Amino acid sequence: MARKAGNTATMWQVADRAGVSQATVSLVLNNVGGTRVNDATRERVMAAVEELGYRTNAFAKSLRSGESEMIGFISDEVASSPFAGRLLKGAQHHAWETGNVILSVDTFNEPDLEAAALDMMLSYRVKGVVYASMYHRLVDVPDRLSEIPTVVVNAQDRAGTVASVFPNEEGGGYAATRHLVEAGHSRIAMINIQPPGSDLPAGIGRLAGYRRALDEAGLPQDEALIRSGDGVVEDGLALTLELLAESDPPTAIFCGNDRTAWGAYRALESLGLRAGRDCSIVGFDNHEMVAPFLDPGLTTVELPYEAMARRALEILLTDSSKMPARTAIDCSLIQRGSVARARKRT
């Protein structure tokens, strides 16, 4: 019979129940290789563990070994974000599969909170730290993280000294624009999510992918078809109206994110037009609260949150000397109803 809650069994009691030494129990529970503990003894020990409800003292184990089975996850607002939270989900799944757990803190970009989170994680002797961002940007990794293995995810270490895992923004921009080219469109506009002088990798990469797809297709680079906003619905609305007012308007628009695409839908509706039928729209993010629920559903590029987190943990749990400097994870095109074949011009 299992012990009642509140009565903590000891390793000595497990040994007594199984009829073995405390050392044998320790060997079994720590799964020490190369021991002479036979299968029958191992089964008796595990049966005693189950009957007594014995739990190892993880903190004491970390004091003895110098390392816990915890992985720190420090982020700005990932855990509380409605879609970037998939980073944490991916990290938790991979940690569980490898016998580890995630110790997560959102710092909301508050230096004091981040410092406290670092103190806590170092005191718990975490195996390493995933340093995550809600959106793809350049980050300055705290000096204290040089003490333990660290991987930046959904961002890039500005100094280039810490392994970074991030979305392949250029590949995503290329895939979005190429999809429009393959649908027969030759007047393809882009509404970016940041000003031309911004150093954010997301907009820089997505614009580069757009340009590469046009070049590959032999289509001209018409700067009149490129607009810059801040990635909000209002900019998508206003800038789409500007584009449609051109003397030779685009037949398709690649929007730098799904919120901008939502604004483009609103602009079309205000003119009595419809996405897909009168102007094809592609977004970026595959925002689960936006893309599937627009009418028609938005064709968009999905950010690989879970894949990035899994890859970050794979890197973290390997020999730190073999950590790659930068790893770009491909983004997937999600097709819905907002892209149609281009109409022949009359």
Side-chain angles (χ1 to χ4, degrees):
M1 180 182 296
R3 295 171 64 91
K4 293 181 179 179
N7 295 330
T8 304
T10 67
M11 189 178 291
W12 293 106
Q13 289 171 323
V14 172
D16 182 63
R17 176 68 63 92
V20 298
S21 68
Q22 186 268 346
T24 298
V25 174
S26 180
L27 290 173
V28 171
L29 295 180
N30 288 289
N31 198 28
V32 176
T35 66
R36 296 183 178 180
V37 180
N38 60 42
D39 290 343
T41 300
R42 187 179 300 275
E43 290 175 6
R44 286 208 316 277
V45 170
M46 294 311 297
V49 165
E50 179 66 23
E51 291 169 6
L52 295 171
Y54 175 76
R55 296 292 180 270
T56 58
N57 187 327
F59 184 68
K61 182 178 178 181
S62 71
L63 291 176
R64 292 192 300 270
S65 67
E67 187 179 83
S68 71
E69 293 177 343
M70 292 184 286
I71 296 168
F73 189 99
I74 298 177
S75 61
D76 44 15
E77 298 180 57
V78 166
S80 54
S81 168
F83 57 99
R86 283 179 283 171
L87 279 171
L88 182 54
K89 178 183 177 182
Q92 288 174 328
H93 281 180
H94 191 75
W96 185 255
E97 291 165 5
T98 54
N100 298 285
V101 293
I102 293 292
L103 183 60
S104 172
V105 176
D106 266 1
T107 67
F108 305 101
N109 292 312
E110 296 181 14
D112 290 345
L113 183 53
E114 180 172 274
L118 284 171
D119 283 341
M120 175 189 66
M121 290 179 182
L122 291 174
S123 71
Y124 274 100
R125 305 189 184 193
V126 294
K127 285 184 175 179
V129 169
V130 174
Y131 194 76
S133 173
M134 183 179 70
Y135 63 94
H136 189 181
R137 60 191 176 100
L138 301 176
V139 297
D140 298 306
V141 179
D143 292 339
R144 293 195 64 193
L145 285 177
S146 63
E147 301 175 29
I148 55 175
T150 301
V151 178
V152 170
V153 66
N154 201 34
Q156 297 183 50
D157 171 33
R158 193 186 306 273
T161 59
V162 175
S164 301
V165 180
F166 49 89
N168 183 349
E169 306 284 7
E170 181 174 340
Y174 173 84
T177 310
R178 182 67 189 172
H179 183 60
L180 293 169
V181 170
E182 290 175 347
H185 296 278
S186 57
R187 293 287 292 170
I188 303 172
M190 180 182 179
I191 303 177
N192 209 346
I193 56 174
Q194 60 201 50
S198 171
D199 67 352
L200 290 178
I204 293 172
R206 295 171 197 184
L207 177 59
Y210 164 81
R211 293 189 184 278
R212 178 159 64 92
L214 293 182
D215 284 343
E216 185 182 277
L219 297 175
Q221 299 272 345
D222 187 347
E223 298 302 315
L225 293 181
I226 300 176
R227 296 289 192 278
S228 296
D230 292 319
V232 296
V233 175
E234 291 77 11
D235 285 347
L237 170 59
L239 296 175
T240 298
L241 289 174
E242 285 184 15
L243 288 166
L244 296 177
E246 292 281 334
S247 58
D248 188 10
T251 62
I253 304 174
F254 166 38
C255 296
N257 68 5
D258 290 350
R259 287 176 294 181
T260 299
W262 186 0
Y265 272 56
R266 289 179 55 189
L268 289 168
E269 290 168 3
S270 73
L271 297 173
L273 305 175
R274 180 174 171 81
R277 184 189 67 196
D278 300 297
C279 182
S280 290
I281 305 291
V282 177
F284 206 111
D285 287 345
N286 195 28
H287 194 309
E288 61 188 19
M289 300 301 291
V290 175
F293 300 107
L294 293 176
D295 183 21
L298 177 65
T299 293
T300 185
V301 176
E302 183 171 56
L303 285 168
Y305 289 115
E306 293 187 36
M308 286 191 291
R310 283 180 171 273
R311 182 63 185 131
L313 259 69
E314 289 171 0
I315 294 171
L316 195 67
L317 295 173
T318 60
D319 183 351
S320 60
S321 65
K322 299 179 181 178
M323 285 185 177
R326 297 180 187 275
T327 303
I329 305 297
D330 288 339
C331 306
S332 302
L333 182 72
I334 307 299
Q335 298 185 41
R336 298 191 177 94
S338 63
V339 175
R341 296 290 306 175
R343 298 178 180 178
K344 292 183 179 180
R345 292 178 177 265
T346 57

